[in-house]
Amino acid sequence: MTPAELSRTVLRSVRGAVEEQELSVPVPARIVVQPPPRPGCGDYASNVALQLARQAGRPAREVAEILRKRLIGSAGITRVEIAGPGFLNFTLGDGAQAALVREVLAQGDGYGDRSVRSARGVGAGDVAGPGSSPDREPDPGSGPDREPAPDPDRGAAPGPAPSARDVVVAEALVRIQAAAGVVAVDGGQVAPVATPPDLTALIARLGVDEARWVLLRPAPQDPVRVPERPVQRESNPRFRVQYAAARARALGRYAQELGFGSEPGDVGAPARGEAVGEGPSDGSVSAAQSLQTFHTLLATYPSAIETAARLRAPDRVVRHLEATADAFFRWHDVCPPLPVGEQKPLAVHRARLALAEAGGTVLANGLRLLGISAPEHL
């Protein structure tokens, strides 16, 4: 079950409670599920009960209990718990991670590329039309977890709906072309630049990939920091993301040399003889946490793209890619996708290899979306 499927499942439970008069509230257009704030609180959480409580005129935990009873036994959900003032915490079934990996690999380059007209109120003319601004705020009340109000006076835009990818690509171009307020970093000292740098000169100095990264990485209200020269090591976030994408592909090549391929399944905990890095002596907690974080970032990549499109904020894509690359390396170090030493390839290695390939797909998709290369070798 993906976050989108879980969101629809929770929405159906709300609709059912309203239809059977257990709750008297307007049915929301969508329900947001997010990773829990702390490990050990399930796979995803939602504050839908808190949002509905005031309209229902009932305590949030009472609303949460109504929804919990309806959600117990739903396909793909193993456990539903109520936490704090009324949060719903969801633990998904054992097959959820493998299903996500299958989805990512099946969609390939298209993973995360969704139409945004009906879901986000963005028409084809909005992709890069006049007045587009990277600093533009969303409509009042339409924050990251809420739908923008429909405009009844606006007719349907002609042609196909733009995808979230189209919107982010267009906004990235706007951001690069309007890179005002850039600051220079010289000898460790940050100094404001009176006029934006010449884009051609910046590309000549840093290269296309680094130039785009440094211009797109900051939020609109933050200054751009231009390094003296690109650094090809893991301390450079752009290089780290590219390296993670290339590493995921390299694992597939190495596996072929060992005579096995990928197959989504249970990635398991570290096997005997594997390095587990820091953490408990058996590596179990560290492995579980790193896996959950990595899996969550892959699952939420499509929603990250949609949010970036809705808010016209390509920097959100950059931050999601950085977090995904860091999570990939943490998981990779704890649960190696390739056999260690004399160990023969097992089913768990095929499953880990599939997860690594899914991670490489997400990273490469995000890099290409921003106009940055995703090299096979690095």
Side-chain angles (χ1 to χ4, degrees):
M1 175 176 284
T2 65
E5 292 170 339
L6 177 58
S7 175
R8 289 192 292 269
T9 299
V10 179
L11 181 58
R12 284 195 296 270
S13 74
V14 174
R15 187 176 293 115
V18 171
E19 291 174 351
E20 296 181 19
Q21 299 183 347
E22 288 184 281
L23 291 174
S24 179
V25 295
V27 178
R30 64 192 281 264
I31 288 174
V32 175
V33 295
Q34 298 176 323
R38 298 180 304 277
C41 297
D43 297 310
Y44 293 97
S46 176
N47 64 350
V48 60
L50 284 78
Q51 294 176 340
L52 299 177
R54 179 176 297 180
Q55 296 171 314
R58 304 169 72 169
R61 287 188 66 91
E62 187 176 314
V63 174
E65 179 60 23
I66 292 173
L67 300 179
R68 188 189 72 83
K69 289 179 178 179
R70 288 182 164 272
L71 288 163
I72 291 176
S74 297
I77 300 178
T78 299
R79 189 166 65 252
V80 184
E81 299 172 304
I82 301 174
F87 291 97
L88 286 169
N89 290 347
F90 305 94
T91 300
L92 304 185
D94 293 337
Q97 293 175 352
L100 172 67
V101 171
R102 290 191 186 94
E103 179 183 359
V104 175
L105 296 179
Q107 295 187 23
D109 293 348
Y111 183 66
D113 193 5
R114 296 176 181 171
S115 170
V116 294
R117 177 187 293 158
S118 60
R120 295 290 180 266
V122 179
D126 290 330
V127 173
S132 176
S133 168
D135 297 329
R136 190 178 72 182
E137 292 293 330
D139 294 336
S142 67
D145 296 341
R146 296 187 58 185
E147 293 293 333
D151 184 356
D153 298 326
R154 180 175 183 172
S163 67
R165 179 186 183 280
D166 294 333
V167 177
V168 175
V169 168
E171 191 59 28
L173 180 61
V174 170
R175 183 76 62 86
I176 290 171
Q177 292 174 336
V182 174
V183 301
V185 179
D186 185 12
Q189 298 298 317
V190 178
V193 175
T195 59
D198 179 77
L199 188 58
T200 302
L202 188 65
I203 291 174
R205 172 181 161 190
L206 300 179
V208 174
D209 288 351
E210 185 76 1
R212 293 186 73 95
W213 188 272
V214 299
L215 293 177
L216 295 175
R217 189 172 189 255
Q221 68 275 13
D222 295 333
V224 177
R225 298 183 176 229
V226 181
E228 293 184 28
R229 64 184 66 85
V231 179
Q232 298 295 98
R233 52 176 177 263
E234 290 187 45
S235 59
N236 181 343
R238 184 269 309 165
F239 177 82
R240 192 163 63 249
V241 172
Q242 289 180 312
Y243 178 52
R247 174 62 181 168
R249 291 185 174 93
L251 290 170
R253 295 193 297 270
Y254 298 152
Q256 287 183 347
E257 295 176 1
L258 294 174
F260 76 100
S262 62
E263 178 61 37
D266 182 9
V267 300
R272 182 174 297 176
E274 292 180 340
V276 298
E278 298 180 357
S281 57
D282 62 356
S284 57
V285 175
S286 178
Q289 292 178 353
S290 61
L291 173 61
Q292 180 177 344
T293 301
F294 185 37
H295 175 268
T296 298
L297 286 163
L298 300 187
T300 54
Y301 172 75
S303 62
I305 300 303
E306 289 188 358
T307 300
R310 185 177 69 249
L311 301 181
R312 299 191 181 276
D315 52 281
R316 288 175 175 258
V317 180
V318 175
R319 290 195 292 274
H320 195 91
L321 293 179
E322 290 182 9
T324 302
D326 291 342
F328 167 78
F329 285 121
R330 285 194 297 269
W331 167 76
H332 169 282
D333 292 344
V334 174
C335 296
L338 300 180
V340 176
E342 299 298 323
Q343 188 181 34
K344 294 182 178 180
L346 305 172
V348 69
H349 295 116
R350 291 191 288 271
R352 292 177 186 174
L353 181 61
L355 178 56
E357 290 175 345
T361 296
V362 167
L363 291 168
N365 286 357
L367 286 167
R368 286 192 293 264
L369 185 153
L370 298 172
I372 297 171
S373 66
E376 294 281 340
H377 304 269
L378 198 61

